[in-house]
Amino acid sequence: LSSDREQPVNITADRMRADEREGLSHYEGDVFLKQGSLEIRAEEITVYLEEGEVTRIIAIGEPAKLQQQPDDREMVYSEARRMKYNTRNGELLLLEDAWVKQSGNRISGKRIHYDTSNSIVTANRDTAPKQSGDSQDDGRVRAIIEPKEKQDAGE
Amino acid sequence: MNKLQVITIILLVILIGAFSNWLLTDLDTQPRVISREVRHDPDYYLENFTATSMGENGVAKHRLVADYLEHYPDDDSVVIQQLTLDLFRQDLPPWTAQANQGVVYEQGERVELSGEVELHRPATDHDEALTLLTEKLTVYPQREYAETDAAVTITSDSSETRAIGMQLDVAQGLLELLSDTRGTYVINPR
């Protein structure tokens, strides 16, 4: 929901380590984050604080899983091995084997930019050098947009 | 003085009389005098004191302020009432422990805090002031380390975290929550 990013962020986990010098809280073990309708499950979530305010959240998983209910459309699902969430402007970066799915449309790529305020996805080519052994995924964006009628028929 | 005051004074006098009477009889009926070494009696006490211990570089490492302290020779323990223990650090604000009671073992190596135990830390450049509440806490002042296996609640202006079990490496500035951790952060979007 567009109101998600004003909601408190709730995180549950087995353990947490707060580093006073770095200003971060690192949650580990069955980590679950919830902010309004936005939910992320991951192995590790690190919360970065500035003057006591959360500014950035990084989720790492094998993969980390996200879901969010947009105001006017069906639930969005996403997976990525790394998620960078800017809690100030609500923008979320999905990195490494990332994909986003919503009502039959699926976008995957190395690097997907997802705006949690209005659930807009923009995927851009991976500018990082092509790692060896990455033959299958050459960083190109793959979007599967199903024709509208087929979607309705499918529902 | 009206009637009520007179009655309360009389009542008070009766009460004090009865109490001191009970005290006397109780003392007399002490069955037998236990030898000094076995008895757990204090051999000295201090009132309203401050004890500061310095690091090698002459900078205060920790400071204990308390209302009352008793030393027990039989197990060489020290019991402190209403204490405040500051644990200082070089480049970070101090952690301050407060509790109704602290029992000191091993010549100050270990202090067991109990009774409304609180840990406070002023704001740092990253984070707000923190307050940690728990029912008991073991502090190792020399090692600059504290831990508990009890439930803890950590609050700041815009966050609250709960867990079971905590370990605090004061010198390193690392606070670990051991299980069943729940954090809530209020967000101020821009």
Side-chain angles (χ1 to χ4, degrees):
Chain A
L1 303 173
S2 48
S3 60
D4 281 349
R5 68 189 183 93
E6 288 130 22
Q7 307 298 323
V9 170
N10 295 292
I11 301 176
T12 58
D14 293 340
R15 297 170 309 282
M16 185 267 261
R17 181 173 44 85
D19 185 323
E20 292 177 84
R21 283 197 171 82
E22 301 298 324
L24 61 85
S25 293
H26 184 72
Y27 290 83
E28 265 182 4
D30 193 14
V31 189
F32 175 63
L33 177 147
K34 186 168 175 52
Q35 183 187 33
S37 79
L38 175 70
E39 292 184 3
I40 297 177
R41 287 178 197 287
E43 266 77 62
E44 297 171 35
I45 284 186
T46 305
V47 175
Y48 291 85
L49 301 165
E50 265 157 43
E51 289 114 31
E53 256 198 67
V54 179
T55 53
R56 246 173 341 122
I57 293 178
I58 293 188
I60 293 173
E62 299 301 323
K65 296 184 170 128
L66 175 147
Q67 71 174 47
Q68 185 184 29
Q69 174 59 56
D71 293 339
D72 49 10
R73 275 163 289 144
E74 276 164 60
M75 187 75 87
V76 172
Y77 295 97
S78 167
E79 284 187 11
R81 290 153 62 97
R82 223 153 38 98
M83 296 181 179
K84 279 190 183 174
Y85 179 33
N86 178 326
T87 48
R88 280 197 166 141
N89 58 23
E91 284 168 13
L92 203 141
L93 203 54
L94 302 154
L95 300 158
E96 294 165 36
D97 309 335
W99 55 260
V100 179
K101 197 164 67 175
Q102 183 190 30
S103 52
N105 303 336
R106 187 177 190 279
I107 286 187
S108 64
K110 274 235 171 227
R111 196 183 156 89
I112 299 177
H113 187 281
Y114 174 62
D115 182 344
T116 61
S117 312
N118 31 50
S119 311
I120 292 176
V121 175
T122 51
N124 36 42
R125 270 183 60 96
D126 167 33
T127 48
K130 195 160 142 356
Q131 281 118 346
S132 63
D134 228 354
S135 56
Q136 174 266 348
D137 173 5
D138 51 16
R140 268 207 311 274
V141 173
R142 275 178 192 72
I144 304 164
I145 315 284
E146 289 181 6
K148 199 75 183 80
E149 322 77 39
K150 189 160 159 261
Q151 262 171 35
D152 301 344
E155 256 127 37
Chain B
M1 279 196 290
N2 61 35
K3 237 166 131 253
L4 186 65
Q5 281 169 328
V6 170
I7 294 169
T8 43
I9 290 169
I10 294 167
L11 259 178
L12 261 175
V13 165
I14 294 167
L15 255 176
I16 291 167
F19 175 67
S20 48
N21 183 298
W22 167 75
L23 203 60
L24 281 172
T25 50
D26 182 56
L27 287 178
D28 288 350
T29 54
Q30 204 68 25
R32 45 182 175 67
V33 179
I34 310 168
S35 64
R36 186 163 183 67
E37 305 73 34
V38 175
R39 276 176 37 170
H40 187 62
D41 279 343
D43 58 357
Y44 68 79
Y45 69 88
L46 300 175
E47 278 176 318
N48 304 323
F49 67 92
T50 299
T52 304
S53 92
M54 320 297 280
E56 297 80 24
N57 44 25
V59 173
K61 262 185 82 177
H62 45 265
R63 175 180 56 203
L64 173 68
V65 177
D67 291 1
Y68 190 74
L69 173 149
E70 284 168 336
H71 173 258
Y72 291 83
D74 62 319
D75 62 359
D76 195 24
S77 69
V78 170
V79 178
I80 309 172
Q81 307 297 345
Q82 300 311 319
L83 65 114
T84 300
L85 176 61
D86 292 313
L87 301 168
F88 296 106
R89 306 181 287 177
Q90 245 51 27
D91 55 348
L92 280 168
W95 278 97
T96 298
Q98 285 173 314
N100 294 341
Q101 177 169 301
V103 183
V104 182
Y105 298 98
E106 298 135 32
Q107 288 81 39
E109 277 296 315
R110 177 167 59 94
V111 184
E112 302 286 355
L113 301 183
S114 57
E116 291 166 296
V117 181
E118 291 186 20
L119 266 171
H120 298 277
R121 191 220 55 207
T124 63
D125 18 346
H126 289 294
D127 197 1
E128 295 164 321
L130 290 182
T131 296
L132 183 146
L133 303 177
T134 186
E135 68 193 49
K136 58 185 173 99
L137 183 72
T138 303
V139 182
Y140 302 88
Q142 313 300 345
R143 282 170 44 202
E144 297 180 276
Y145 183 80
E147 64 185 4
T148 182
D149 50 20
V152 294
T153 305
I154 306 173
T155 50
S156 72
D157 285 348
S158 52
S159 76
E160 179 176 302
T161 310
R162 292 172 183 273
I164 308 289
M166 181 275 294
Q167 290 172 349
L168 173 60
D169 184 326
V170 176
Q172 295 296 328
L174 288 174
L175 183 141
E176 305 225 8
L177 298 178
L178 304 181
S179 70
D180 202 3
T181 303
R182 283 161 209 288
T184 302
Y185 301 86
V186 173
I187 298 291
N188 315 324
R190 294 285 147 75

